[in-house]
Amino acid sequence: MTSPDLTQANIDKIAELFPSVVTESSDVDGNPARAVDFDLLRQELSDFIVEGPQERYRLDWPGKRAAAFTANAPIAKTFRPVREESVDFDTTKNLFIEGDNLDALKLLQESYLGKVKLIYIDPPYNTGNDFVYNDDFAESSAGYLERSSQASAAGERFLANTESSGRFHSDWLSMMYARLKLARALLTEDGVIFISIDDHEVDNLRKVCGEVFGERNFIAQLVWRARKFTDMRATTNVSTDHEYVLAYARTSEGCLRGVERDESKFGNPDDDPRGPWMSRSILGLATREQRPNLHYDLIDPATDTVYPPNPSTGWRYSSDRMAEMVSEGRILFPSREGGRPREKKFRAEMQTDLIAFRSVIEEVYTADGTQEGRELLGSGVFAFPKPTRLIKELVRQGTESDSIVLDFFAGSGTTGDAVSRLNAEDGGTRRYILVQLDEVADANTDAATAGYRTIAEVSRERIRRAGADTRSQAGVLGDALDVGFRSLRIDTTNMTDVLRAPDDTDQLTLSDFGSSVKPDRTGEDLLFQVLLDWGLELTMPIQKETIDGFEVYDVEEGALILCTRPREARDLSLSLSLSLGLPRPSRSVSRFVSCSSTKTSRTTRRASTSGRCSVNARHTLRSRPYDRRSLVGGA
């Protein structure tokens, strides 16, 4: 009876917020104990790279601290909607995002914090030829492109990671580490992440995931038999037929659903009044030294045949319980020589219709994914996509019927395809968010020959065609399926740099200054930046009206109203939305008008109506690029 160990309680709280800073140490008696790595904690709370010499048990590599810093560094970017590349833009709940997934994960942090039930990613395997993302936010985009000699119109951002670089593992780990740290924050408390990987980095990836998600949240290292036929080209005389899928939970409570029982295994050949049953082994799991009470001779009362226990396993039940089961006719004694007793397990006594999901995934192969891609896109357009059945089963295991699924290495878009097809099967309304880098398709590939400029274009076309196919196969129920997607593109902020601070201006001189909104940006561009700033989901329904030249965007019937005006217009009163009979909004924003002081905290804005615009809101100019901490998406 002692008072609580407050130190350990505090460590538990820190571990929940920052699993990567909790490490293994030793107490005064030399026993293992959890402790906080204060160098790592300082890094989580610092806006610069923290150096630290402390020895610790963990995976380390050159660039790890920089990767942690990169994950936390802010960016001045936004999502721009692309209606012409979307399907059912106004009604769909799905998202397709084109651009660097590190940027995407940062931009999604407020709108989808703690809302994603399942993440599946198939990152580039580190084979020595695959690209890795070169993350550097210490310089401008123009400077980065100039330094890396990558100034293509597509904004290509990848470098070869050859084994000769000396950073073969380090670059790949840094790329993954930053993204996994951001991805964890998006998961629900009972969320799960699945990561496809092969032998090159599976050991390192497990260590990284153990650090990011916490080792206690490890679920399984699933083995997927990916190859159907033996690889005759193997130089080591070993045909590597498998890959892995690592599974980690957001918290220790996270788990998989399980699979339905095979009801065909149950029968009632002896007309037992207790109903259908199946034969089950009664072997135990312990040696005589471990569980001596489970090692005894089992005797068939009808024949007096003695069945000794297996020395390495013993029996499943104690001798007293086994005697009860024999008397109740629950033990099946063999009729042939050499057989072993088994249990009669009745279906009616089983508490659930589900059994455990097996760690070995079979009967679905890479060749299946290749065939699917060929049927949807044509031969060779995308090399070795994951099969839909594999992703569909993982999604089935880790989601509810209305969950959000995220894939930030979308590739050919298999995850989006799988979510739509699973919804068609079980009537679910799951939503997906796909992110794909606008990687330029090599000129020598079938994708380029088929007219696809980037891999993102391939992804969009895949889910576009797969959605149409899913809806067609669903027949009369197809119209109710959401097989569309809102296409968004990552771009720089909508706001321009201005040289004059708000306090240096007044109402009379305001008209002398230029707009702080970039000239190529639309009202809908501004709307999506405001949605991000307010932490609103990006698939909310949007209604647009043009009234007396003003564009009025109503998000989810008054959750937010954005009013923009032509550049030549001189004045705008925010009482306009009310006078025109629009619903009184929870939030209202007008272009070039600030709703309230930029010092208002985000917590205050969400907890009260202080963020509502008033008729007398004064005009301001920003003295810096658009900041995610500021109040509105105006200037």
Side-chain angles (χ1 to χ4, degrees), residues 25 30 62 86 153 156 190 194 222 226 283 292 311 386 415 486 518 571 616 624 633:
S25 183
S86 306
E156 185 177 358
D190 59 348
F194 293 102
L222 306 175
L283 290 179
K386 291 294 186 290
T415 299
R486 279 186 180 176
K518 293 177 180 176
D571 190 23
N616 297 318
R624 61 186 186 280

Side-chain angles (χ1 to χ4, degrees), residues 388-596:
T388 304
R389 281 180 55 204
L390 172 68
I391 312 305
K392 190 166 61 175
E393 186 54 42
L394 296 178
V395 173
R396 193 197 314 272
Q397 287 301 312
T399 65
E400 307 297 334
S401 62
D402 58 349
S403 298
I404 297 177
V405 177
L406 168 65
D407 182 348
F408 52 89
F409 287 98
S412 72
T414 303
T415 299
D417 187 352
V419 169
S420 296
R421 294 187 189 277
L422 182 57
N423 283 342
E425 288 181 11
D426 64 10
T429 56
R430 299 171 187 84
R431 299 175 279 162
Y432 63 75
I433 302 174
L434 305 184
V435 185
Q436 176 55 42
L437 182 72
D438 51 349
E439 175 191 351
V440 176
D442 191 284
N444 299 321
T445 62
D446 291 336
T449 302
Y452 298 103
R453 188 178 61 86
T454 66
I455 301 302
E457 290 184 4
V458 177
S459 303
R460 276 192 298 267
E461 186 62 20
R462 159 73 182 271
I463 55 176
R464 188 179 291 120
R465 296 187 184 187
D469 181 62
T470 301
R471 179 171 283 171
S472 174
Q473 292 186 21
V476 295
L477 301 177
D479 291 340
L481 293 176
D482 180 2
V483 295
F485 58 90
R486 279 186 180 176
S487 184
L488 308 177
R489 182 175 295 128
I490 298 174
D491 206 335
T492 57
T493 175
N494 293 311
M495 316 312 293
T496 60
D497 289 313
V498 292
L499 300 178
R500 190 176 296 269
D503 290 341
D504 297 333
T505 66
D506 56 43
Q507 187 70 36
L508 295 177
T509 61
L510 182 65
S511 59
D512 296 332
F513 301 111
S515 170
S516 59
V517 177
K518 293 177 180 176
D520 64 332
R521 304 303 166 94
T522 66
E524 201 161 65
D525 289 334
L526 292 173
L527 174 62
F528 273 80
Q529 187 153 353
V530 173
L531 290 175
L532 287 175
D533 189 58
W534 280 99
L536 299 177
E537 292 190 11
L538 304 176
T539 55
M540 284 183 167
I542 301 169
Q543 292 184 343
K544 176 185 175 183
E545 292 187 67
T546 302
I547 306 173
D548 294 333
F550 296 102
E551 292 180 347
V552 180
Y553 296 89
D554 181 358
V555 179
E556 203 169 64
E557 299 182 351
L560 179 143
I561 286 182
L562 172 76
C563 189
T564 67
R565 62 184 172 89
R567 293 180 179 276
E568 62 272 13
R570 302 281 297 177
D571 190 23
L572 172 65
S573 169
L574 284 178
S575 62
L576 175 68
S577 64
L578 300 180
S579 65
L580 293 175
L582 297 174
R584 182 172 180 84
S586 300
R587 311 164 183 84
S588 55
V589 182
S590 79
R591 187 173 180 180
F592 308 137
V593 178
S594 175
C595 288
S596 65

Side-chain angles (χ1 to χ4, degrees), residues 309-367:
N310 185 304
S312 59
T313 65
W315 299 112
R316 183 187 297 267
Y317 306 106
S318 67
S319 58
D320 291 342
R321 175 58 184 150
M322 190 73 81
E324 291 178 4
M325 296 177 70
V326 171
S327 65
E328 294 171 356
R330 293 175 178 267
I331 300 301
L332 300 168
F333 289 98
S335 58
R336 60 180 177 83
E337 187 177 350
R340 297 287 291 174
R342 293 175 66 85
E343 175 185 1
K344 218 179 189 185
K345 191 67 176 179
F346 293 96
R347 180 66 180 90
E349 297 175 344
M350 296 181 178
Q351 300 297 316
T352 176
D353 293 334
L354 301 174
I355 60 174
F357 182 67
R358 303 196 66 134
S359 63
V360 178
I361 303 173
E362 298 184 287
E363 298 182 2
V364 53
Y365 306 100
T366 298

